[in-house]
Amino acid sequence: MNIVKDLSSYAIPALFFVILCVGLYRGVKVYDVFLEGAKEGITTVLRIIPPLVGLMVAVGVFRASGALDLLVYVVKPVADLLRIPKDALPLVFLRPISGSASLAMLSDIFNVHGPDSFVGRVASTLMGSTETIFYTLAVYFGAVGIKNIRHTLAAALIADFAGIFAAVWICTKVFGG
Amino acid sequence: MLNYIWFAMLIIGFVVGIMNGRVSEVTQAVVDSSKSAVEISIGLLGVMCLWTGLMEVAEKSGIIRGIAKAVRPVMKFLFPGIPKEHPAGGAIVMNLVANFLGLGNAATPLGIKAINELQKLNPNKDTATNEMSMFLVLNTACIQFIPATIIALRSAAGSKNPTEIIGTIWVASISACMAGIIAAKILSSFFKAKSGAKKGLENRLGRRKA
Protein backbone atom coordinates (compact mmCIF):
# COMPACT_ATOMS: atom_id res chain seq x y z
CA MET A 1 0.00 0.00 0.00
CA ASN A 2 3.06 2.24 -0.17
CA ILE A 3 2.09 3.15 -3.71
CA VAL A 4 -0.95 5.06 -2.40
CA LYS A 5 1.35 7.10 -0.16
CA ASP A 6 3.81 7.72 -3.02
CA LEU A 7 1.05 8.82 -5.38
CA SER A 8 -0.09 11.28 -2.74
CA SER A 9 3.26 13.01 -2.58
CA TYR A 10 3.87 13.00 -6.34
CA ALA A 11 0.42 14.28 -7.35
CA ILE A 12 0.95 17.98 -6.73
CA PRO A 13 4.45 18.37 -8.22
CA ALA A 14 3.32 16.37 -11.25
CA LEU A 15 0.30 18.59 -11.76
CA PHE A 16 2.39 21.77 -11.51
CA PHE A 17 4.86 20.30 -13.99
CA VAL A 18 2.22 19.35 -16.56
CA ILE A 19 0.14 22.51 -16.29
CA LEU A 20 3.07 24.93 -16.39
CA CYS A 21 4.80 23.13 -19.29
CA VAL A 22 1.62 22.92 -21.37
CA GLY A 23 0.86 26.53 -20.53
CA LEU A 24 4.25 27.82 -21.59
CA TYR A 25 4.18 25.66 -24.73
CA ARG A 26 0.79 27.13 -25.69
CA GLY A 27 2.11 30.66 -25.18
CA VAL A 28 0.21 31.41 -21.96
CA LYS A 29 1.79 34.06 -19.72
CA VAL A 30 1.83 31.59 -16.86
CA TYR A 31 2.75 33.92 -14.00
CA ASP A 32 0.33 36.68 -15.01
CA VAL A 33 -2.52 34.21 -15.43
CA PHE A 34 -1.60 32.59 -12.13
CA LEU A 35 -1.91 35.90 -10.29
CA GLU A 36 -5.24 36.57 -11.96
CA GLY A 37 -6.59 33.21 -10.79
CA ALA A 38 -5.10 33.47 -7.31
CA LYS A 39 -7.24 36.55 -6.70
CA GLU A 40 -10.28 34.31 -7.08
CA GLY A 41 -9.02 32.23 -4.16
CA ILE A 42 -9.47 35.22 -1.86
CA THR A 43 -13.13 35.69 -2.77
CA THR A 44 -13.73 31.94 -2.41
CA VAL A 45 -12.32 31.93 1.11
CA LEU A 46 -14.15 35.15 2.08
CA ARG A 47 -17.39 33.53 0.94
CA ILE A 48 -16.76 30.53 3.22
CA ILE A 49 -16.33 32.63 6.39
CA PRO A 50 -19.98 33.46 7.29
CA PRO A 51 -21.34 29.89 6.94
CA LEU A 52 -18.25 28.52 8.67
CA VAL A 53 -18.72 30.85 11.64
CA GLY A 54 -22.39 29.93 11.96
CA LEU A 55 -21.88 26.20 11.60
CA MET A 56 -18.72 25.90 13.67
CA VAL A 57 -20.48 27.65 16.55
CA ALA A 58 -23.32 25.12 16.22
CA VAL A 59 -20.88 22.19 16.14
CA GLY A 60 -18.91 23.71 19.02
CA VAL A 61 -21.99 24.13 21.19
CA PHE A 62 -23.16 20.63 20.28
CA ARG A 63 -19.81 19.20 21.37
CA ALA A 64 -19.21 21.31 24.50
CA SER A 65 -22.67 20.53 25.88
CA GLY A 66 -22.04 16.80 25.69
CA ALA A 67 -24.76 16.32 23.04
CA LEU A 68 -22.20 15.05 20.52
CA ASP A 69 -21.00 12.41 23.02
CA LEU A 70 -24.63 11.33 23.41
CA LEU A 71 -25.10 11.08 19.65
CA VAL A 72 -21.83 9.19 19.22
CA TYR A 73 -22.84 6.86 22.07
CA VAL A 74 -26.21 6.16 20.44
CA VAL A 75 -24.78 5.46 16.96
CA LYS A 76 -21.71 3.58 18.19
CA PRO A 77 -23.21 0.10 17.58
CA VAL A 78 -23.94 1.09 13.97
CA ALA A 79 -20.42 2.48 13.62
CA ASP A 80 -18.89 -0.70 15.02
CA LEU A 81 -21.01 -2.81 12.70
CA LEU A 82 -19.82 -0.82 9.66
CA ARG A 83 -16.28 -0.48 11.08
CA ILE A 84 -16.43 3.32 10.85
CA PRO A 85 -14.51 5.16 13.61
CA LYS A 86 -17.29 6.41 15.90
CA ASP A 87 -16.00 9.99 15.96
CA ALA A 88 -16.21 10.20 12.18
CA LEU A 89 -19.86 9.14 12.10
CA PRO A 90 -21.43 12.60 12.57
CA LEU A 91 -19.51 13.63 9.44
CA VAL A 92 -21.00 10.70 7.54
CA PHE A 93 -24.49 12.00 8.34
CA LEU A 94 -23.78 15.64 7.51
CA ARG A 95 -21.75 15.13 4.33
CA PRO A 96 -24.62 14.41 1.89
CA ILE A 97 -26.67 17.28 3.30
CA SER A 98 -24.36 20.27 3.44
CA GLY A 99 -20.86 21.07 2.26
CA SER A 100 -20.21 23.88 4.72
CA ALA A 101 -21.67 21.99 7.69
CA SER A 102 -19.44 19.00 6.97
CA LEU A 103 -16.46 21.32 6.57
CA ALA A 104 -17.22 22.70 10.04
CA MET A 105 -17.51 19.15 11.39
CA LEU A 106 -14.23 18.17 9.74
CA SER A 107 -12.32 21.06 11.29
CA ASP A 108 -13.88 20.21 14.64
CA ILE A 109 -12.53 16.66 14.29
CA PHE A 110 -9.11 18.12 13.40
CA ASN A 111 -9.22 20.39 16.47
CA VAL A 112 -10.15 17.59 18.85
CA HIS A 113 -8.30 14.55 17.46
CA GLY A 114 -5.71 16.17 15.20
CA PRO A 115 -5.50 15.91 11.39
CA ASP A 116 -2.88 13.13 11.57
CA SER A 117 -4.92 10.88 13.87
CA PHE A 118 -6.62 7.86 12.33
CA VAL A 119 -10.04 9.53 12.72
CA GLY A 120 -8.63 12.69 11.14
CA ARG A 121 -7.36 10.74 8.15
CA VAL A 122 -10.57 8.77 7.71
CA ALA A 123 -12.61 11.97 8.03
CA SER A 124 -10.42 13.70 5.42
CA THR A 125 -10.88 10.79 3.05
CA LEU A 126 -14.64 10.69 3.64
CA MET A 127 -14.88 14.41 3.03
CA GLY A 128 -12.98 14.15 -0.24
CA SER A 129 -14.68 11.10 -1.67
CA THR A 130 -18.35 11.87 -1.03
CA GLU A 131 -20.45 14.85 -2.06
CA THR A 132 -23.43 16.99 -1.03
CA ILE A 133 -26.04 14.85 -2.75
CA PHE A 134 -29.25 16.59 -1.74
CA TYR A 135 -28.02 20.06 -2.60
CA THR A 136 -26.67 19.01 -6.00
CA LEU A 137 -29.87 17.21 -6.97
CA ALA A 138 -32.03 20.12 -5.79
CA VAL A 139 -30.00 22.67 -7.76
CA TYR A 140 -29.81 20.76 -11.05
CA PHE A 141 -33.28 19.21 -11.11
CA GLY A 142 -34.72 22.47 -9.82
CA ALA A 143 -33.07 24.35 -12.69
CA VAL A 144 -35.06 22.43 -15.32
CA GLY A 145 -38.21 21.65 -13.32
CA ILE A 146 -37.83 17.86 -13.07
CA LYS A 147 -40.35 16.42 -10.56
CA ASN A 148 -39.91 12.69 -11.02
CA ILE A 149 -36.24 12.04 -10.34
CA ARG A 150 -36.61 8.23 -10.72
CA HIS A 151 -33.55 6.30 -9.53
CA THR A 152 -31.20 9.28 -9.20
CA LEU A 153 -31.28 9.61 -5.41
CA ALA A 154 -31.00 5.86 -4.86
CA ALA A 155 -27.99 5.57 -7.18
CA ALA A 156 -26.32 8.61 -5.60
CA LEU A 157 -26.79 7.17 -2.10
CA ILE A 158 -25.38 3.81 -3.21
CA ALA A 159 -22.32 5.67 -4.50
CA ASP A 160 -22.12 7.51 -1.17
CA PHE A 161 -22.18 4.27 0.84
CA ALA A 162 -19.59 2.70 -1.44
CA GLY A 163 -17.40 5.76 -0.86
CA ILE A 164 -17.77 5.49 2.92
CA PHE A 165 -16.83 1.80 3.03
CA ALA A 166 -13.97 2.27 0.61
CA ALA A 167 -12.67 5.23 2.65
CA VAL A 168 -12.60 3.26 5.89
CA TRP A 169 -11.09 0.23 4.17
CA ILE A 170 -8.28 2.04 2.35
CA CYS A 171 -7.39 4.15 5.41
CA THR A 172 -7.09 1.01 7.50
CA LYS A 173 -4.86 -0.53 4.83
CA VAL A 174 -2.65 2.52 4.29
CA PHE A 175 -2.48 4.15 7.71
CA GLY A 176 -3.35 1.17 9.92
CA GLY A 177 -6.39 1.17 12.20
CA MET B 1 -32.87 21.91 5.40
CA LEU B 2 -29.84 23.58 6.94
CA ASN B 3 -32.16 25.97 8.75
CA TYR B 4 -33.52 23.05 10.76
CA ILE B 5 -30.16 21.36 11.32
CA TRP B 6 -28.50 24.56 12.51
CA PHE B 7 -31.44 25.35 14.78
CA ALA B 8 -31.53 21.80 16.18
CA MET B 9 -27.78 21.62 16.86
CA LEU B 10 -27.80 24.90 18.77
CA ILE B 11 -31.01 24.34 20.72
CA ILE B 12 -30.22 20.70 21.58
CA GLY B 13 -26.72 21.84 22.53
CA PHE B 14 -28.00 24.52 24.89
CA VAL B 15 -30.60 22.23 26.48
CA VAL B 16 -28.18 19.32 26.95
CA GLY B 17 -25.56 21.76 28.23
CA ILE B 18 -27.93 23.07 30.90
CA MET B 19 -28.90 19.53 31.90
CA ASN B 20 -25.25 18.47 32.11
CA GLY B 21 -24.34 21.60 34.06
CA ARG B 22 -21.90 22.65 31.35
CA VAL B 23 -23.31 26.09 30.60
CA SER B 24 -20.01 27.88 31.03
CA GLU B 25 -18.27 25.42 28.66
CA VAL B 26 -21.04 26.01 26.11
CA THR B 27 -20.64 29.77 26.41
CA GLN B 28 -16.90 29.40 25.99
CA ALA B 29 -17.50 27.22 22.91
CA VAL B 30 -19.63 29.92 21.26
CA VAL B 31 -16.83 32.44 21.53
CA ASP B 32 -13.99 30.03 20.72
CA SER B 33 -15.72 28.45 17.71
CA SER B 34 -16.47 31.74 15.99
CA LYS B 35 -12.86 32.78 16.50
CA SER B 36 -11.56 29.46 15.27
CA ALA B 37 -13.81 29.62 12.16
CA VAL B 38 -12.10 32.83 11.05
CA GLU B 39 -8.64 31.50 11.91
CA ILE B 40 -9.28 28.41 9.83
CA SER B 41 -10.53 30.50 6.91
CA ILE B 42 -7.40 32.64 7.03
CA GLY B 43 -5.36 29.44 7.18
CA LEU B 44 -7.11 28.29 3.99
CA LEU B 45 -6.19 31.44 2.08
CA GLY B 46 -2.68 30.47 1.00
CA VAL B 47 -3.42 27.05 -0.45
CA MET B 48 -6.69 28.21 -2.01
CA CYS B 49 -5.02 31.13 -3.83
CA LEU B 50 -2.21 28.89 -5.01
CA TRP B 51 -4.76 26.42 -6.25
CA THR B 52 -7.16 28.77 -8.06
CA GLY B 53 -4.11 30.42 -9.61
CA LEU B 54 -2.72 27.17 -10.95
CA MET B 55 -6.15 26.13 -12.22
CA GLU B 56 -6.53 29.41 -14.07
CA VAL B 57 -3.32 28.51 -15.93
CA ALA B 58 -4.76 25.06 -16.69
CA GLU B 59 -7.91 26.60 -18.08
CA LYS B 60 -6.12 29.19 -20.22
CA SER B 61 -3.77 26.49 -21.54
CA GLY B 62 -6.67 24.52 -22.97
CA ILE B 63 -6.01 21.52 -20.74
CA ILE B 64 -9.70 21.17 -19.91
CA ARG B 65 -10.56 21.00 -23.62
CA GLY B 66 -7.81 18.46 -24.12
CA ILE B 67 -9.12 16.12 -21.43
CA ALA B 68 -12.66 16.58 -22.73
CA LYS B 69 -11.56 15.31 -26.14
CA ALA B 70 -9.72 12.34 -24.66
CA VAL B 71 -12.69 10.98 -22.70
CA ARG B 72 -15.19 11.07 -25.57
CA PRO B 73 -15.35 7.24 -25.98
CA VAL B 74 -16.25 6.81 -22.30
CA MET B 75 -19.07 9.31 -22.77
CA LYS B 76 -20.67 7.14 -25.43
CA PHE B 77 -21.00 4.28 -22.95
CA LEU B 78 -22.27 6.44 -20.10
CA PHE B 79 -24.69 8.55 -22.12
CA PRO B 80 -25.95 6.45 -25.03
CA GLY B 81 -29.00 8.71 -25.49
CA ILE B 82 -27.05 11.81 -26.50
CA PRO B 83 -26.73 12.19 -30.28
CA LYS B 84 -23.29 12.80 -31.77
CA GLU B 85 -22.18 16.44 -31.78
CA HIS B 86 -25.09 17.46 -29.52
CA PRO B 87 -24.05 20.33 -27.19
CA ALA B 88 -25.20 18.30 -24.15
CA GLY B 89 -22.20 15.97 -24.50
CA GLY B 90 -19.68 18.79 -24.55
CA ALA B 91 -21.24 20.58 -21.59
CA ILE B 92 -21.29 17.37 -19.52
CA VAL B 93 -17.63 16.61 -20.21
CA MET B 94 -16.55 20.16 -19.42
CA ASN B 95 -18.51 20.08 -16.17
CA LEU B 96 -17.05 16.75 -15.10
CA VAL B 97 -13.51 17.81 -15.97
CA ALA B 98 -13.99 21.06 -14.02
CA ASN B 99 -15.17 18.96 -11.06
CA PHE B 100 -12.21 16.63 -11.49
CA LEU B 101 -9.81 19.56 -11.29
CA GLY B 102 -11.69 21.04 -8.34
CA LEU B 103 -12.84 24.16 -10.23
CA GLY B 104 -16.07 24.57 -8.27
CA ASN B 105 -16.83 28.01 -9.69
CA ALA B 106 -16.51 26.84 -13.28
CA ALA B 107 -18.29 23.53 -12.71
CA THR B 108 -21.71 24.78 -11.63
CA PRO B 109 -22.53 27.03 -14.65
CA LEU B 110 -21.29 24.29 -16.99
CA GLY B 111 -23.47 21.78 -15.14
CA ILE B 112 -26.55 23.98 -15.43
CA LYS B 113 -25.88 24.32 -19.15
CA ALA B 114 -25.51 20.54 -19.41
CA ILE B 115 -28.80 19.79 -17.68
CA ASN B 116 -30.57 22.40 -19.81
CA GLU B 117 -29.26 20.70 -22.96
CA LEU B 118 -30.33 17.31 -21.59
CA GLN B 119 -33.80 18.69 -20.95
CA LYS B 120 -34.07 19.61 -24.66
CA LEU B 121 -33.58 15.90 -25.46
CA ASN B 122 -36.19 14.90 -22.86
CA PRO B 123 -39.59 13.86 -24.26
CA ASN B 124 -41.18 13.92 -20.80
CA LYS B 125 -40.34 17.31 -19.31
CA ASP B 126 -41.07 16.62 -15.65
CA THR B 127 -39.32 13.23 -15.50
CA ALA B 128 -35.58 12.63 -15.36
CA THR B 129 -34.00 10.77 -18.29
CA ASN B 130 -31.36 8.06 -17.82
CA GLU B 131 -28.78 10.56 -19.03
CA MET B 132 -29.79 13.14 -16.42
CA SER B 133 -29.59 10.57 -13.64
CA MET B 134 -26.18 9.38 -14.78
CA PHE B 135 -24.94 12.95 -15.06
CA LEU B 136 -26.06 13.86 -11.54
CA VAL B 137 -24.74 10.63 -10.03
CA LEU B 138 -21.35 11.34 -11.62
CA ASN B 139 -21.55 14.87 -10.25
CA THR B 140 -22.18 13.68 -6.70
CA ALA B 141 -19.52 10.95 -6.93
CA CYS B 142 -16.90 12.81 -8.88
CA ILE B 143 -13.22 12.03 -8.48
CA GLN B 144 -11.22 15.08 -7.45
CA PHE B 145 -7.64 15.02 -8.66
CA ILE B 146 -6.35 17.33 -5.92
CA PRO B 147 -8.73 17.86 -2.98
CA ALA B 148 -7.41 21.38 -2.36
CA THR B 149 -9.81 22.48 0.37
CA ILE B 150 -9.12 19.42 2.51
CA ILE B 151 -5.37 19.77 2.07
CA ALA B 152 -5.63 23.44 3.04
CA LEU B 153 -7.75 22.60 6.07
CA ARG B 154 -5.32 19.87 7.17
CA SER B 155 -2.35 22.17 6.83
CA ALA B 156 -4.20 24.93 8.72
CA ALA B 157 -4.82 22.40 11.50
CA GLY B 158 -1.10 21.71 11.75
CA SER B 159 -0.85 18.40 9.90
CA LYS B 160 2.67 17.04 9.40
CA ASN B 161 1.75 15.74 5.96
CA PRO B 162 -1.41 17.47 4.67
CA THR B 163 -1.30 15.75 1.26
CA GLU B 164 -1.04 12.16 2.53
CA ILE B 165 -4.79 11.67 2.03
CA ILE B 166 -4.74 12.30 -1.75
CA GLY B 167 -4.20 8.63 -2.56
CA THR B 168 -6.83 7.35 -0.17
CA ILE B 169 -9.32 9.91 -1.49
CA TRP B 170 -8.66 8.67 -5.03
CA VAL B 171 -9.27 5.05 -4.06
CA ALA B 172 -12.44 5.88 -2.12
CA SER B 173 -13.88 8.19 -4.76
CA ILE B 174 -13.13 5.82 -7.64
CA SER B 175 -15.05 3.16 -5.68
CA ALA B 176 -17.94 5.58 -5.12
CA CYS B 177 -17.94 6.57 -8.78
CA MET B 178 -17.93 2.96 -10.03
CA ALA B 179 -20.72 1.99 -7.64
CA GLY B 180 -22.71 5.03 -8.77
CA ILE B 181 -22.31 4.21 -12.47
CA ILE B 182 -23.29 0.56 -11.97
CA ALA B 183 -26.23 1.52 -9.74
CA ALA B 184 -27.47 4.13 -12.20
CA LYS B 185 -27.21 1.70 -15.13
CA ILE B 186 -28.97 -1.17 -13.33
CA LEU B 187 -31.62 0.86 -11.52
CA SER B 188 -32.60 2.78 -14.65
CA SER B 189 -34.48 -0.25 -15.95
CA PHE B 190 -36.37 -0.68 -12.66
CA PHE B 191 -37.56 2.92 -12.58
CA LYS B 192 -39.28 3.32 -15.90
CA ALA B 193 -39.54 6.85 -17.20
CA LYS B 194 -43.36 6.76 -17.38
CA SER B 195 -44.13 5.70 -13.81
CA GLY B 196 -45.40 8.41 -11.51
CA ALA B 197 -44.37 6.58 -8.34
CA LYS B 198 -42.24 8.09 -5.57
CA LYS B 199 -43.96 11.44 -5.97
CA GLY B 200 -43.76 12.31 -2.28
CA LEU B 201 -40.01 11.89 -2.19
CA GLU B 202 -39.41 14.20 -5.12
CA ASN B 203 -41.68 16.85 -3.70
CA ARG B 204 -39.74 16.79 -0.49
CA LEU B 205 -36.46 16.84 -2.37
CA GLY B 206 -37.58 19.84 -4.39
CA ARG B 207 -37.89 21.90 -1.23
CA ARG B 208 -34.48 20.98 0.06
CA LYS B 209 -31.87 23.68 0.04
CA ALA B 210 -28.24 23.65 1.13
Side-chain angles (χ1 to χ4, degrees):
Chain A
M1 282 299 161
N2 265 334
I3 187 162
V4 178
K5 275 187 183 163
D6 289 344
L7 280 175
S8 299
S9 40
Y10 280 101
I12 289 184
L15 199 67
F16 267 87
F17 188 84
V18 171
I19 290 175
L20 293 183
C21 288
V22 173
L24 206 67
Y25 176 74
R26 298 256 169 95
V28 176
K29 286 184 183 143
V30 284
Y31 184 61
D32 293 344
V33 172
F34 170 81
L35 291 185
E36 208 177 290
K39 258 187 255 164
E40 236 176 83
I42 301 177
T43 37
T44 310
V45 171
L46 285 182
R47 253 203 320 253
I48 302 179
I49 294 181
L52 210 57
V53 169
L55 292 159
M56 280 197 65
V57 168
V59 173
V61 166
F62 202 71
R63 166 181 298 287
S65 67
L68 190 66
D69 295 334
L70 275 178
L71 178 70
V72 167
Y73 178 77
V74 170
V75 294
K76 194 180 173 294
V78 185
D80 287 347
L81 199 68
L82 306 176
R83 294 171 179 280
I84 301 168
K86 63 181 181 1
D87 295 300
L89 211 61
L91 182 70
V92 172
F93 292 129
L94 274 180
R95 186 68 186 113
I97 297 163
S98 159
S100 34
S102 42
L103 205 63
M105 187 57 87
L106 183 67
S107 43
D108 187 69
I109 291 174
F110 287 171
N111 280 341
V112 175
H113 303 276
D116 297 330
S117 64
F118 184 66
V119 185
R121 287 159 164 168
V122 171
S124 306
T125 307
L126 277 173
M127 184 76 188
S129 55
T130 51
E131 254 296 334
T132 47
I133 296 173
F134 293 106
Y135 172 72
T136 309
L137 297 200
V139 167
Y140 284 128
F141 279 139
V144 288
I146 295 286
K147 300 251 161 53
N148 182 358
I149 67 163
R150 295 174 60 219
H151 56 290
T152 316
L153 181 61
L157 285 174
I158 288 174
D160 189 56
F161 287 130
I164 292 165
F165 289 127
V168 175
W169 175 79
I170 189 70
C171 282
T172 314
K173 284 271 175 214
V174 174
F175 303 121
Chain B
M1 182 89 187
L2 214 52
N3 285 316
Y4 296 113
I5 292 178
W6 192 65
F7 175 84
M9 282 178 93
L10 281 172
I11 297 305
I12 293 173
F14 288 133
V15 171
V16 174
I18 291 167
M19 291 192 319
N20 279 347
R22 296 168 77 166
V23 183
S24 61
E25 284 92 334
V26 169
T27 308
Q28 193 62 40
V30 172
V31 181
D32 287 350
S33 304
S34 53
K35 206 174 125 205
S36 137
V38 175
E39 284 166 2
I40 286 169
S41 308
I42 302 300
L44 287 175
L45 258 177
V47 180
M48 288 307 273
C49 287
L50 179 71
W51 194 246
T52 50
L54 186 67
M55 282 305 135
E56 185 80 14
V57 179
E59 211 169 346
K60 290 269 153 64
S61 313
I63 288 177
I64 296 184
R65 277 176 194 286
I67 302 177
K69 228 178 208 168
V71 296
R72 210 153 273 171
V74 185
M75 294 291 292
K76 261 189 209 149
F77 165 75
L78 292 175
F79 303 97
I82 300 175
K84 229 181 179 179
E85 303 300 316
H86 191 276
I92 290 174
V93 177
M94 299 284 274
N95 164 270
L96 294 178
V97 172
N99 269 324
F100 176 72
L101 293 175
L103 299 159
N105 293 339
T108 309
L110 287 166
I112 298 286
K113 182 174 160 42
I115 195 111
N116 276 319
E117 294 295 340
L118 286 175
Q119 181 72 329
K120 288 181 192 160
L121 295 168
N122 187 359
N124 202 346
K125 294 298 179 199
D126 66 348
T127 304
T129 59
N130 290 347
E131 280 69 28
M132 288 177 176
S133 292
M134 182 61 82
F135 172 57
L136 288 195
V137 168
L138 286 178
N139 239 288
T140 61
C142 193
I143 297 152
Q144 231 191 77
F145 189 64
I146 305 288
T149 315
I150 296 165
I151 293 171
L153 202 63
R154 288 174 60 81
S155 111
S159 168
K160 285 205 186 74
N161 187 0
T163 60
E164 68 183 353
I165 40 70
I166 294 178
T168 55
I169 287 180
W170 286 349
V171 172
S173 53
I174 288 171
S175 314
C177 189
M178 290 297 165
I181 290 172
I182 294 167
K185 280 278 178 199
I186 292 174
L187 289 176
S188 66
S189 51
F190 287 99
F191 293 83
K192 287 287 174 228
K194 274 176 208 152
S195 94
K198 298 186 73 193
K199 264 267 144 59
L201 184 67
E202 292 101 44
N203 286 343
R204 262 185 291 144
L205 191 71
R207 278 193 269 118
R208 273 188 182 130
K209 288 274 146 64

